[in-house]
Amino acid sequence: MESTPAVFAGAVFALFGAGLLLWTGVRSAQGEPVAEGVRPVAAAVLSGSVGLLAVLAAVWCFGRL
């Protein structure tokens, strides 16, 4: 019963992290801004870092099963 919240949280973190990494990669590859009004490199690094942290949180959640 305790594994259900870990699976749900892991799935949410995995989907969010993967989506954010994919979106950041596509926007950066096309040369389009990742965030409006922010330097492109800073926005890409921050967005990529948050995406990576979300994927790592998903791995941690799935590891708790």
Side-chain angles (χ1 to χ4, degrees):
M1 191 65 165
E2 294 177 358
S3 65
T4 303
V7 170
F8 178 74
V12 169
F13 281 129
L15 288 173
F16 174 74
L20 186 59
L21 286 173
L22 179 66
W23 182 77
T24 302
V26 168
R27 295 289 287 191
S28 295
Q30 292 177 348
E32 296 183 19
V34 176
E36 291 293 326
V38 182
R39 285 180 280 161
V41 174
V45 168
L46 183 61
S47 178
S49 298
V50 171
L52 183 62
L53 285 175
V55 170
L56 290 175
V59 170
W60 182 78
C61 285
F62 289 136
R64 305 284 295 169
L65 297 177

